[in-house]
Coordinates of all heavy atoms in Angstrom, one line a residue:
M1 N -10.1 -11.9 -9.6 CA -8.8 -11.4 -9.7 C -8.0 -11.7 -8.5 O -8.6 -11.9 -7.4 CB -8.9 -9.8 -9.8 CG -9.5 -9.3 -11.1 SD -8.7 -7.9 -11.7 CE -9.3 -6.6 -10.6
P2 N -6.7 -11.9 -8.7 CA -5.9 -12.3 -7.5 C -5.9 -11.2 -6.4 O -5.9 -10.0 -6.7 CB -4.5 -12.4 -8.1 CG -4.6 -12.3 -9.5 CD -5.9 -11.8 -9.9
L3 N -5.9 -11.7 -5.2 CA -5.8 -10.8 -4.0 C -4.4 -10.9 -3.4 O -3.8 -12.0 -3.4 CB -6.9 -11.2 -2.9 CG -8.3 -11.0 -3.3 CD1 -9.2 -11.6 -2.2 CD2 -8.7 -9.6 -3.5
Y4 N -4.0 -9.8 -2.9 CA -2.7 -9.7 -2.2 C -2.8 -8.9 -0.9 O -3.5 -7.9 -0.9 CB -1.7 -9.0 -3.0 CG -1.4 -9.6 -4.4 CD1 -2.2 -9.3 -5.5 CD2 -0.3 -10.5 -4.6 CE1 -2.0 -9.9 -6.7 CE2 -0.1 -11.0 -5.8 CZ -0.9 -10.7 -6.9 OH -0.7 -11.3 -8.1
A5 N -2.2 -9.4 0.1 CA -2.0 -8.6 1.4 C -0.6 -8.0 1.3 O 0.4 -8.7 1.0 CB -2.1 -9.5 2.6
V6 N -0.5 -6.7 1.5 CA 0.8 -6.0 1.5 C 0.9 -5.3 2.8 O 0.1 -4.5 3.2 CB 0.9 -5.0 0.3 CG1 2.2 -4.3 0.4 CG2 0.7 -5.7 -1.0
R7 N 2.0 -5.6 3.5 CA 2.4 -4.8 4.7 C 3.4 -3.7 4.3 O 4.4 -4.1 3.7 CB 2.9 -5.6 5.8 CG 3.3 -4.8 7.0 CD 3.9 -5.6 8.2 NE 4.5 -4.7 9.1 CZ 4.1 -4.6 10.4 NH1 3.1 -5.3 10.8 NH2 4.7 -3.7 11.2
M8 N 3.1 -2.5 4.6 CA 4.0 -1.4 4.2 C 4.5 -0.8 5.5 O 3.7 -0.3 6.4 CB 3.3 -0.3 3.4 CG 2.6 -0.8 2.2 SD 1.8 0.6 1.3 CE 0.6 -0.4 0.3
D9 N 5.8 -0.8 5.7 CA 6.5 -0.1 6.8 C 7.2 1.1 6.4 O 8.1 1.0 5.5 CB 7.5 -1.1 7.5 CG 6.8 -2.3 8.1 OD1 6.0 -2.2 9.0 OD2 7.1 -3.5 7.6
V10 N 6.8 2.2 6.9 CA 7.4 3.5 6.5 C 8.5 3.9 7.4 O 8.3 3.9 8.7 CB 6.3 4.6 6.4 CG1 6.9 5.9 5.9 CG2 5.2 4.1 5.5
A11 N 9.6 4.4 6.9 CA 10.7 4.9 7.7 C 11.3 6.1 7.0 O 12.1 6.0 6.1 CB 11.8 3.8 7.9
I12 N 10.8 7.3 7.4 CA 11.2 8.5 6.8 C 12.6 8.9 7.4 O 12.7 9.0 8.6 CB 10.2 9.6 7.0 CG1 8.9 9.2 6.3 CG2 10.7 11.0 6.5 CD1 7.7 10.1 6.5
P13 N 13.6 9.1 6.5 CA 14.9 9.4 7.0 C 14.9 10.7 7.8 O 14.1 11.7 7.5 CB 15.8 9.6 5.8 CG 15.0 8.9 4.7 CD 13.6 9.0 5.0
D14 N 15.7 10.8 8.8 CA 15.9 12.1 9.6 C 16.5 13.1 8.7 O 17.3 12.8 7.8 CB 16.8 11.8 10.8 CG 16.1 10.9 11.9 OD1 14.9 10.9 11.9 OD2 16.9 10.3 12.6
G15 N 16.2 14.4 9.0 CA 16.9 15.5 8.4 C 16.4 16.0 7.1 O 17.0 16.9 6.5
L16 N 15.3 15.4 6.6 CA 14.8 15.8 5.3 C 14.0 17.1 5.5 O 13.5 17.4 6.6 CB 13.8 14.8 4.8 CG 14.4 13.4 4.4 CD1 13.3 12.5 3.9 CD2 15.5 13.6 3.3
D17 N 13.9 17.9 4.4 CA 13.1 19.1 4.4 C 11.7 18.8 4.8 O 11.0 18.0 4.2 CB 13.2 19.7 3.0 CG 12.3 20.9 2.8 OD1 11.6 21.4 3.8 OD2 12.2 21.4 1.7
P18 N 11.1 19.4 5.9 CA 9.8 19.0 6.4 C 8.7 19.3 5.3 O 7.7 18.6 5.2 CB 9.6 20.0 7.6 CG 10.9 20.4 8.0 CD 11.8 20.3 6.8
Q19 N 9.0 20.3 4.4 CA 8.0 20.5 3.3 C 8.0 19.4 2.3 O 6.9 19.0 1.8 CB 8.3 21.9 2.7 CG 7.2 22.3 1.7 CD 5.8 22.5 2.5 OE1 5.8 23.2 3.5 NE2 4.8 21.8 2.0
L20 N 9.2 18.9 2.0 CA 9.3 17.7 1.1 C 8.5 16.5 1.7 O 7.8 15.9 1.0 CB 10.7 17.4 0.9 CG 11.0 16.1 0.1 CD1 10.5 16.2 -1.3 CD2 12.4 15.6 0.2
V21 N 8.7 16.3 3.0 CA 8.0 15.2 3.6 C 6.5 15.4 3.6 O 5.8 14.5 3.2 CB 8.6 15.0 5.1 CG1 7.8 13.9 5.8 CG2 10.0 14.7 5.1
A22 N 6.1 16.6 4.0 CA 4.6 16.9 4.0 C 4.0 16.7 2.6 O 2.9 16.1 2.4 CB 4.4 18.3 4.5
D23 N 4.7 17.2 1.6 CA 4.2 17.1 0.2 C 4.2 15.6 -0.3 O 3.2 15.2 -0.9 CB 5.2 17.9 -0.8 CG 5.1 19.4 -0.6 OD1 4.1 19.8 0.1 OD2 5.9 20.1 -1.2
T24 N 5.2 14.9 0.1 CA 5.2 13.5 -0.3 C 4.0 12.7 0.4 O 3.4 11.9 -0.3 CB 6.6 12.8 0.1 OG1 7.6 13.6 -0.5 CG2 6.7 11.4 -0.4
I25 N 3.8 13.0 1.7 CA 2.7 12.3 2.4 C 1.3 12.7 1.7 O 0.4 11.9 1.6 CB 2.8 12.6 3.9 CG1 4.0 11.9 4.5 CG2 1.5 12.2 4.6 CD1 4.3 12.3 5.9
A26 N 1.2 14.0 1.4 CA 0.0 14.4 0.7 C -0.2 13.7 -0.6 O -1.3 13.3 -1.0 CB 0.0 15.9 0.6
R27 N 0.9 13.6 -1.4 CA 0.8 12.9 -2.7 C 0.5 11.4 -2.5 O -0.3 10.8 -3.3 CB 2.1 13.1 -3.5 CG 2.2 14.5 -4.0 CD 3.3 14.6 -5.1 NE 4.6 14.3 -4.6 CZ 5.4 13.2 -4.9 NH1 4.9 12.4 -5.9 NH2 6.6 13.0 -4.4
E28 N 1.0 10.9 -1.4 CA 0.7 9.4 -1.1 C -0.8 9.2 -0.9 O -1.4 8.3 -1.4 CB 1.5 9.0 0.1 CG 1.3 7.6 0.6 CD 2.3 6.6 -0.1 OE1 3.1 7.1 -0.9 OE2 2.2 5.4 0.2
K29 N -1.3 10.1 -0.1 CA -2.8 10.0 0.2 C -3.6 10.1 -1.0 O -4.5 9.3 -1.3 CB -3.2 11.1 1.2 CG -4.6 11.0 1.6 CD -4.9 12.0 2.8 CE -6.4 11.9 3.2 NZ -6.6 12.7 4.4
A30 N -3.3 11.1 -1.9 CA -4.1 11.3 -3.1 C -4.0 10.1 -4.0 O -4.9 9.6 -4.6 CB -3.6 12.6 -3.8
Y31 N -2.7 9.6 -4.2 CA -2.5 8.4 -5.1 C -3.2 7.2 -4.5 O -3.9 6.5 -5.3 CB -1.0 8.2 -5.1 CG -0.5 7.0 -5.9 CD1 -0.3 7.0 -7.2 CD2 -0.2 5.8 -5.2 CE1 0.1 5.9 -7.9 CE2 0.3 4.7 -5.9 CZ 0.4 4.8 -7.2 OH 0.9 3.7 -7.9
S32 N -3.1 7.0 -3.2 CA -3.8 5.8 -2.6 C -5.3 5.9 -2.8 O -6.0 4.9 -3.2 CB -3.4 5.8 -1.1 OG -4.3 4.9 -0.4
Q33 N -5.9 7.1 -2.5 CA -7.3 7.2 -2.6 C -7.8 7.1 -4.0 O -8.9 6.6 -4.3 CB -7.7 8.5 -2.0 CG -7.5 8.5 -0.4 CD -8.1 9.7 0.3 OE1 -8.3 10.8 -0.3 NE2 -8.3 9.5 1.6
E34 N -7.0 7.5 -5.0 CA -7.4 7.3 -6.4 C -7.5 5.9 -6.7 O -8.5 5.4 -7.4 CB -6.4 8.0 -7.3 CG -6.8 8.0 -8.8 CD -5.6 8.6 -9.7 OE1 -4.8 9.4 -9.1 OE2 -5.6 8.3 -10.8
I35 N -6.5 5.1 -6.3 CA -6.6 3.6 -6.6 C -7.7 2.9 -5.8 O -8.3 2.0 -6.3 CB -5.2 3.0 -6.3 CG1 -4.2 3.6 -7.3 CG2 -5.2 1.5 -6.4 CD1 -2.7 3.4 -7.0
Q36 N -7.9 3.4 -4.5 CA -9.0 2.9 -3.8 C -10.3 3.1 -4.5 O -11.2 2.2 -4.6 CB -9.1 3.5 -2.4 CG -7.9 3.1 -1.4 CD -8.0 3.9 -0.1 OE1 -9.0 3.9 0.5 NE2 -6.9 4.5 0.2
R37 N -10.5 4.3 -5.0 CA -11.8 4.6 -5.7 C -12.0 3.7 -6.9 O -13.1 3.4 -7.3 CB -11.9 6.1 -6.1 CG -12.1 7.0 -4.9 CD -12.3 8.4 -5.3 NE -12.2 9.3 -4.1 CZ -11.1 10.0 -3.8 NH1 -10.0 10.0 -4.6 NH2 -11.0 10.7 -2.7
G38 N -10.9 3.4 -7.6 CA -10.9 2.5 -8.7 C -11.2 1.0 -8.4 O -11.3 0.2 -9.3
G39 N -11.1 0.7 -7.1 CA -11.5 -0.7 -6.7 C -10.3 -1.6 -6.6 O -10.5 -2.8 -6.2
E40 N -9.1 -1.2 -6.9 CA -8.0 -2.1 -6.8 C -7.4 -2.2 -5.4 O -6.5 -3.0 -5.2 CB -6.9 -1.7 -7.8 CG -7.3 -1.9 -9.2 CD -6.2 -1.6 -10.2 OE1 -5.7 -0.4 -10.1 OE2 -5.7 -2.4 -11.0
W41 N -7.8 -1.3 -4.5 CA -7.2 -1.2 -3.2 C -8.4 -1.2 -2.2 O -8.7 -0.1 -1.6 CB -6.3 0.0 -3.1 CG -5.4 0.2 -1.9 CD1 -5.5 -0.4 -0.7 CD2 -4.2 1.0 -1.8 NE1 -4.5 -0.1 0.1 CE2 -3.7 0.8 -0.6 CE3 -3.6 1.8 -2.8 CZ2 -2.5 1.5 -0.2 CZ3 -2.4 2.5 -2.4 CH2 -1.9 2.3 -1.1
P42 N -9.0 -2.3 -2.0 CA -10.3 -2.3 -1.2 C -10.1 -2.1 0.3 O -11.1 -1.7 1.0 CB -10.9 -3.7 -1.5 CG -9.8 -4.5 -2.0 CD -8.8 -3.6 -2.6
H43 N -8.9 -2.4 0.9 CA -8.7 -2.2 2.3 C -7.4 -1.6 2.6 O -6.4 -2.0 2.0 CB -8.8 -3.5 3.1 CG -10.2 -4.2 3.0 ND1 -11.2 -3.8 3.8 CD2 -10.6 -5.2 2.2 CE1 -12.3 -4.5 3.5 NE2 -12.0 -5.4 2.5
I44 N -7.3 -0.7 3.6 CA -6.1 -0.2 4.1 C -6.3 0.0 5.6 O -7.2 0.7 6.0 CB -5.6 1.1 3.4 CG1 -4.2 1.5 4.1 CG2 -6.6 2.2 3.4 CD1 -3.5 2.6 3.3
W45 N -5.5 -0.7 6.4 CA -5.6 -0.7 7.9 C -4.3 -0.2 8.5 O -3.2 -0.6 8.1 CB -5.9 -2.1 8.4 CG -7.2 -2.6 7.9 CD1 -7.5 -3.4 6.9 CD2 -8.5 -2.3 8.5 NE1 -8.8 -3.7 6.8 CE2 -9.5 -3.0 7.8 CE3 -8.9 -1.6 9.7 CZ2 -10.8 -3.0 8.1 CZ3 -10.3 -1.6 10.0 CH2 -11.2 -2.3 9.2
R46 N -4.4 0.7 9.4 CA -3.2 1.1 10.2 C -2.9 0.0 11.2 O -3.7 -0.6 11.8 CB -3.6 2.4 11.0 CG -2.5 2.9 11.9 CD -1.2 3.3 11.1 NE -1.3 4.6 10.4 CZ -0.6 4.8 9.3 NH1 0.0 3.8 8.7 NH2 -0.7 6.0 8.7
C47 N -1.6 -0.3 11.3 CA -1.1 -1.2 12.3 C -0.9 -0.4 13.6 O -0.1 0.6 13.6 CB 0.2 -1.8 11.9 SG 0.1 -2.8 10.4
V48 N -1.6 -0.7 14.6 CA -1.7 0.1 15.8 C -0.3 0.3 16.4 O 0.5 -0.6 16.6 CB -2.6 -0.5 16.9 CG1 -2.5 0.2 18.2 CG2 -4.0 -0.6 16.4
G49 N 0.1 1.6 16.6 CA 1.3 1.9 17.3 C 2.5 1.9 16.3 O 3.7 2.1 16.8
E50 N 2.3 1.7 15.0 CA 3.4 1.7 14.1 C 3.1 2.6 12.9 O 2.0 2.8 12.6 CB 3.6 0.2 13.6 CG 3.9 -0.8 14.7 CD 4.0 -2.2 14.1 OE1 5.1 -2.5 13.6 OE2 3.0 -2.9 14.1
Y51 N 4.2 3.1 12.2 CA 4.0 3.8 11.0 C 4.0 2.8 9.8 O 4.9 2.7 9.0 CB 5.1 4.8 10.8 CG 4.8 5.9 9.7 CD1 5.6 6.9 9.5 CD2 3.7 5.8 8.9 CE1 5.4 7.9 8.5 CE2 3.4 6.7 7.9 CZ 4.2 7.8 7.7 OH 4.0 8.7 6.8
S52 N 2.9 2.0 9.9 CA 2.8 0.8 9.0 C 1.3 0.6 8.7 O 0.4 1.0 9.4 CB 3.3 -0.5 9.7 OG 4.6 -0.3 10.1
N53 N 1.1 0.0 7.5 CA -0.3 -0.4 7.2 C -0.3 -1.8 6.6 O 0.7 -2.3 6.1 CB -1.0 0.6 6.3 CG -0.5 0.5 4.8 OD1 -0.9 -0.4 4.1 ND2 0.4 1.4 4.4
I54 N -1.5 -2.4 6.7 CA -1.7 -3.7 6.0 C -2.9 -3.4 5.0 O -3.9 -2.9 5.4 CB -2.0 -4.8 6.9 CG1 -0.8 -5.2 7.7 CG2 -2.5 -6.0 6.1 CD1 -0.9 -6.3 8.7
S55 N -2.6 -3.6 3.8 CA -3.5 -3.3 2.7 C -3.9 -4.6 1.9 O -3.0 -5.5 1.8 CB -2.9 -2.3 1.7 OG -2.8 -1.0 2.3
I56 N -5.1 -4.6 1.4 CA -5.5 -5.6 0.5 C -5.6 -5.1 -0.9 O -6.2 -4.0 -1.1 CB -6.8 -6.3 0.9 CG1 -6.8 -6.8 2.4 CG2 -7.3 -7.3 -0.1 CD1 -5.8 -8.0 2.6
F57 N -5.0 -5.7 -1.9 CA -5.1 -5.3 -3.3 C -5.8 -6.4 -4.1 O -5.6 -7.6 -3.8 CB -3.7 -5.1 -3.8 CG -3.0 -3.8 -3.3 CD1 -2.2 -3.9 -2.2 CD2 -3.2 -2.6 -3.9 CE1 -1.6 -2.8 -1.6 CE2 -2.6 -1.5 -3.4 CZ -1.8 -1.6 -2.3
D58 N -6.6 -5.9 -5.0 CA -7.4 -6.8 -5.8 C -7.1 -6.3 -7.3 O -7.7 -5.4 -7.8 CB -8.9 -6.6 -5.5 CG -9.8 -7.5 -6.3 OD1 -9.3 -8.2 -7.2 OD2 -11.0 -7.5 -6.0
V59 N -6.0 -7.0 -7.8 CA -5.5 -6.5 -9.1 C -5.4 -7.6 -10.1 O -5.5 -8.8 -9.7 CB -4.1 -5.8 -8.8 CG1 -4.2 -4.5 -8.0 CG2 -3.1 -6.8 -8.1
A60 N -5.1 -7.2 -11.3 CA -5.1 -8.2 -12.4 C -4.0 -9.3 -12.3 O -4.2 -10.4 -12.5 CB -5.0 -7.5 -13.7
D61 N -2.8 -8.8 -11.8 CA -1.7 -9.7 -11.8 C -0.5 -9.1 -11.0 O -0.6 -8.0 -10.6 CB -1.3 -10.1 -13.2 CG -1.1 -8.9 -14.1 OD1 -0.7 -7.8 -13.6 OD2 -1.3 -9.0 -15.4
N62 N 0.5 -9.9 -10.9 CA 1.7 -9.4 -10.2 C 2.3 -8.1 -10.8 O 2.7 -7.2 -10.0 CB 2.9 -10.4 -10.3 CG 2.6 -11.7 -9.5 OD1 1.7 -11.8 -8.8 ND2 3.5 -12.7 -9.7
E63 N 2.2 -8.0 -12.1 CA 2.8 -6.8 -12.7 C 2.0 -5.6 -12.3 O 2.6 -4.5 -12.1 CB 2.8 -7.0 -14.2 CG 3.9 -7.9 -14.8 CD 3.6 -9.4 -14.5 OE1 2.5 -9.8 -14.3 OE2 4.6 -10.1 -14.4
R64 N 0.7 -5.7 -12.2 CA -0.1 -4.5 -11.8 C 0.2 -4.1 -10.4 O 0.3 -2.9 -10.1 CB -1.6 -4.8 -12.1 CG -2.5 -3.7 -11.6 CD -2.2 -2.3 -12.3 NE -3.1 -1.3 -11.8 CZ -2.8 0.0 -11.7 NH1 -1.6 0.4 -12.2 NH2 -3.6 0.9 -11.2
L65 N 0.3 -5.1 -9.5 CA 0.6 -4.8 -8.1 C 2.0 -4.1 -8.0 O 2.2 -3.1 -7.3 CB 0.6 -6.0 -7.2 CG 0.9 -5.8 -5.8 CD1 -0.1 -4.9 -5.1 CD2 1.0 -7.1 -5.0
H66 N 2.9 -4.6 -8.8 CA 4.3 -4.0 -8.8 C 4.2 -2.6 -9.2 O 4.8 -1.7 -8.6 CB 5.2 -4.9 -9.7 CG 6.6 -4.5 -9.7 ND1 7.5 -4.9 -8.7 CD2 7.3 -3.8 -10.6 CE1 8.7 -4.4 -8.9 NE2 8.6 -3.7 -10.1
E67 N 3.5 -2.3 -10.3 CA 3.3 -1.0 -10.8 C 2.7 0.0 -9.8 O 3.2 1.1 -9.5 CB 2.4 -1.0 -12.0 CG 2.2 0.3 -12.7 CD 1.3 0.1 -14.0 OE1 0.1 -0.3 -13.8 OE2 1.8 0.3 -15.1
I68 N 1.7 -0.5 -9.1 CA 1.1 0.3 -8.0 C 2.1 0.6 -6.9 O 2.2 1.8 -6.5 CB -0.2 -0.4 -7.5 CG1 -1.3 -0.4 -8.5 CG2 -0.7 0.3 -6.2 CD1 -2.5 -1.2 -8.1
L69 N 2.7 -0.4 -6.4 CA 3.7 -0.2 -5.3 C 4.8 0.7 -5.7 O 5.2 1.6 -4.9 CB 4.2 -1.6 -4.8 CG 3.1 -2.5 -4.2 CD1 3.7 -3.8 -3.7 CD2 2.3 -1.8 -3.1
W70 N 5.4 0.5 -6.9 CA 6.5 1.4 -7.3 C 6.0 2.8 -7.5 O 6.8 3.7 -7.4 CB 7.1 0.8 -8.6 CG 8.2 -0.2 -8.3 CD1 8.0 -1.4 -7.7 CD2 9.6 0.0 -8.4 NE1 9.3 -2.0 -7.6 CE2 10.2 -1.1 -8.0 CE3 10.4 1.1 -8.9 CZ2 11.6 -1.3 -8.0 CZ3 11.8 0.9 -9.0 CH2 12.4 -0.2 -8.5
G71 N 4.7 3.0 -7.7 CA 4.2 4.4 -7.9 C 3.9 5.1 -6.7 O 3.6 6.3 -6.7
L72 N 4.0 4.4 -5.5 CA 3.7 5.1 -4.3 C 4.8 6.2 -4.0 O 6.0 5.9 -4.0 CB 3.8 4.1 -3.1 CG 2.7 3.1 -3.0 CD1 3.1 1.9 -2.0 CD2 1.4 3.7 -2.5
P73 N 4.3 7.4 -3.8 CA 5.3 8.5 -3.5 C 6.2 8.2 -2.3 O 7.4 8.6 -2.3 CB 4.4 9.7 -3.2 CG 3.2 9.5 -4.1 CD 2.9 8.0 -4.0
L74 N 5.7 7.4 -1.3 CA 6.5 7.1 -0.2 C 7.4 5.8 -0.4 O 8.1 5.4 0.5 CB 5.7 6.8 1.1 CG 5.1 8.1 1.8 CD1 4.2 7.6 2.9 CD2 6.3 8.9 2.4
F75 N 7.3 5.3 -1.6 CA 7.9 4.0 -1.8 C 9.4 4.0 -1.5 O 9.9 3.0 -0.9 CB 7.8 3.5 -3.3 CG 8.3 2.1 -3.6 CD1 7.6 1.0 -3.2 CD2 9.5 2.0 -4.2 CE1 8.0 -0.3 -3.5 CE2 10.0 0.7 -4.5 CZ 9.3 -0.4 -4.1
K76 N 10.1 5.1 -1.8 CA 11.5 5.2 -1.5 C 11.8 5.1 0.0 O 13.0 4.9 0.4 CB 12.1 6.4 -2.1 CG 11.4 7.7 -1.7 CD 12.0 8.9 -2.5 CE 11.2 10.2 -2.3 NZ 9.8 10.2 -2.8
W77 N 10.8 5.3 0.8 CA 11.1 5.3 2.3 C 10.3 4.2 3.0 O 10.0 4.3 4.2 CB 10.6 6.7 2.9 CG 11.4 7.9 2.3 CD1 12.7 7.9 1.9 CD2 10.8 9.2 2.1 NE1 13.0 9.2 1.4 CE2 11.9 10.0 1.6 CE3 9.6 9.8 2.4 CZ2 11.7 11.3 1.2 CZ3 9.4 11.1 2.1 CH2 10.5 11.9 1.5
M78 N 9.9 3.2 2.2 CA 9.2 2.1 2.8 C 9.7 0.8 2.4 O 10.4 0.6 1.4 CB 7.7 2.2 2.5 CG 7.3 2.0 1.1 SD 5.5 1.7 0.9 CE 4.7 3.2 1.5
T79 N 9.4 -0.2 3.2 CA 9.6 -1.6 2.8 C 8.2 -2.3 2.7 O 7.3 -1.9 3.5 CB 10.5 -2.4 3.8 OG1 9.9 -2.3 5.1 CG2 11.9 -1.8 3.8
C80 N 8.1 -3.1 1.7 CA 6.8 -3.8 1.5 C 7.0 -5.3 1.6 O 8.0 -5.8 1.0 CB 6.3 -3.5 0.0 SG 5.9 -1.8 -0.2
E81 N 6.1 -5.9 2.2 CA 6.1 -7.4 2.3 C 4.8 -7.8 1.6 O 3.7 -7.5 2.1 CB 6.1 -7.9 3.7 CG 6.2 -9.4 3.9 CD 6.2 -9.7 5.4 OE1 7.2 -9.6 6.0 OE2 5.1 -10.1 5.9
V82 N 4.9 -8.6 0.5 CA 3.7 -9.0 -0.3 C 3.4 -10.4 0.0 O 4.3 -11.3 -0.1 CB 4.0 -8.7 -1.8 CG1 2.8 -9.2 -2.6 CG2 4.3 -7.3 -2.1
T83 N 2.1 -10.7 0.2 CA 1.7 -12.1 0.4 C 0.5 -12.3 -0.6 O -0.5 -11.6 -0.5 CB 1.2 -12.3 1.9 OG1 2.2 -12.0 2.8 CG2 0.7 -13.7 2.1
A84 N 0.7 -13.3 -1.5 CA -0.4 -13.6 -2.4 C -1.4 -14.5 -1.6 O -1.0 -15.4 -0.8 CB 0.1 -14.4 -3.6
L85 N -2.7 -14.2 -1.8 CA -3.8 -14.9 -1.0 C -4.5 -15.9 -1.8 O -4.8 -15.6 -3.0 CB -4.7 -13.8 -0.4 CG -4.1 -12.7 0.5 CD1 -5.2 -11.7 0.9 CD2 -3.5 -13.4 1.7
A86 N -4.9 -17.0 -1.2 CA -5.7 -18.0 -1.9 C -6.9 -18.3 -0.9 O -6.8 -18.0 0.3 CB -4.9 -19.3 -2.1
T87 N -8.0 -18.8 -1.5 CA -9.1 -19.2 -0.7 C -8.8 -20.2 0.3 O -8.1 -21.2 0.0 CB -10.2 -19.7 -1.6 OG1 -10.5 -18.7 -2.6 CG2 -11.5 -20.0 -0.8
H88 N -9.2 -20.0 1.6 CA -9.0 -21.0 2.6 C -10.1 -22.1 2.6 O -11.3 -21.8 2.4 CB -9.0 -20.3 4.0 CG -8.4 -21.2 5.1 ND1 -9.1 -22.3 5.6 CD2 -7.2 -21.2 5.7 CE1 -8.3 -22.9 6.5 NE2 -7.2 -22.2 6.6
P89 N -9.7 -23.4 2.7 CA -10.7 -24.4 2.5 C -11.8 -24.4 3.6 O -12.8 -25.0 3.5 CB -9.9 -25.7 2.6 CG -8.6 -25.3 3.1 CD -8.3 -23.9 2.8
S90 N -11.5 -23.7 4.8 CA -12.5 -23.6 5.8 C -13.4 -22.4 5.8 O -14.2 -22.2 6.6 CB -11.8 -23.6 7.2 OG -11.0 -24.8 7.4
D91 N -13.2 -21.6 4.7 CA -14.0 -20.3 4.6 C -15.4 -20.7 4.3 O -15.7 -21.2 3.2 CB -13.3 -19.5 3.5 CG -14.0 -18.1 3.4 OD1 -15.1 -17.9 4.0 OD2 -13.5 -17.3 2.6
I92 N -16.3 -20.3 5.2 CA -17.7 -20.7 5.0 C -18.4 -19.8 3.9 O -19.5 -20.1 3.4 CB -18.6 -20.5 6.3 CG1 -18.6 -19.1 6.8 CG2 -18.1 -21.5 7.3 CD1 -19.6 -18.8 7.9
N93 N -17.7 -18.7 3.5 CA -18.2 -17.8 2.5 C -17.7 -18.2 1.1 O -18.1 -17.6 0.1 CB -17.9 -16.4 2.8 CG -18.5 -15.9 4.1 OD1 -19.8 -16.0 4.2 ND2 -17.8 -15.4 5.0
A94 N -16.8 -19.1 1.0 CA -16.1 -19.4 -0.3 C -17.0 -20.4 -1.1 O -17.8 -21.1 -0.6 CB -14.7 -20.1 0.0
Ligands
LIG101 O1 0.7 5.9 6.1 C1 1.0 4.8 5.6 O2 0.8 3.7 6.1 C2 1.6 4.9 4.2 C3 0.5 5.0 3.2 C4 0.2 4.1 2.2 C5 -0.9 4.7 1.5 C6 -1.2 5.9 2.2 O3 -2.1 6.7 2.0 O4 -0.3 6.0 3.2

């Protein structure tokens, strides 16, 4: 299945109801962990010092990745940079 690296940068607007923000972050965690358990989101790494992560997705196609990203509860407050990955010719494990 195709692999993708996705960098997500979160920018929560100032002045929002703190409860709304907390609820959205909690829903984000539950949604993410459900997809991780299903195997389509094998890695999520925090970018040190930033409200950002770099994640690896292992999904059927572009449409499925799009569906997952659009379903993120924090999607409205984040920007995503998607990189499709291919095998490197120097990879000794390939
Ligand atoms: O905290 C983040 O980097 C945003 C995020 C994506 C999935 C998740 O659980 O948090």
Side-chain angles (χ1 to χ4, degrees):
M1 291 218 288
L3 293 174
Y4 300 85
V6 179
R7 179 182 169 113
M8 303 178 202
D9 296 297
V10 181
I12 296 175
D14 291 336
L16 294 179
D17 175 3
Q19 192 59 56
L20 169 70
V21 173
D23 289 350
T24 306
I25 291 170
R27 288 194 296 115
E28 178 88 0
K29 182 173 182 174
Y31 176 83
S32 165
Q33 290 187 337
E34 183 184 340
I35 295 168
Q36 289 176 54
R37 286 187 197 98
E40 292 183 300
W41 193 336
H43 296 280
I44 178 169
W45 295 95
R46 177 62 78 215
C47 300
V48 174
E50 301 179 81
Y51 195 174
S52 305
N53 75 76
I54 291 178
S55 291
I56 302 296
F57 289 90
D58 185 352
V59 291
D61 50 30
N62 289 353
E63 286 69 27
R64 177 58 183 148
L65 180 62
H66 188 78
E67 180 179 64
I68 290 171
L69 297 179
W70 272 69
L72 290 164
L74 281 175
F75 186 77
K76 56 186 172 292
W77 301 326
M78 68 167 58
T79 56
C80 294
E81 182 182 284
V82 177
T83 304
L85 302 176
T87 301
H88 194 285
S90 300
D91 184 352
I92 61 167
N93 296 306

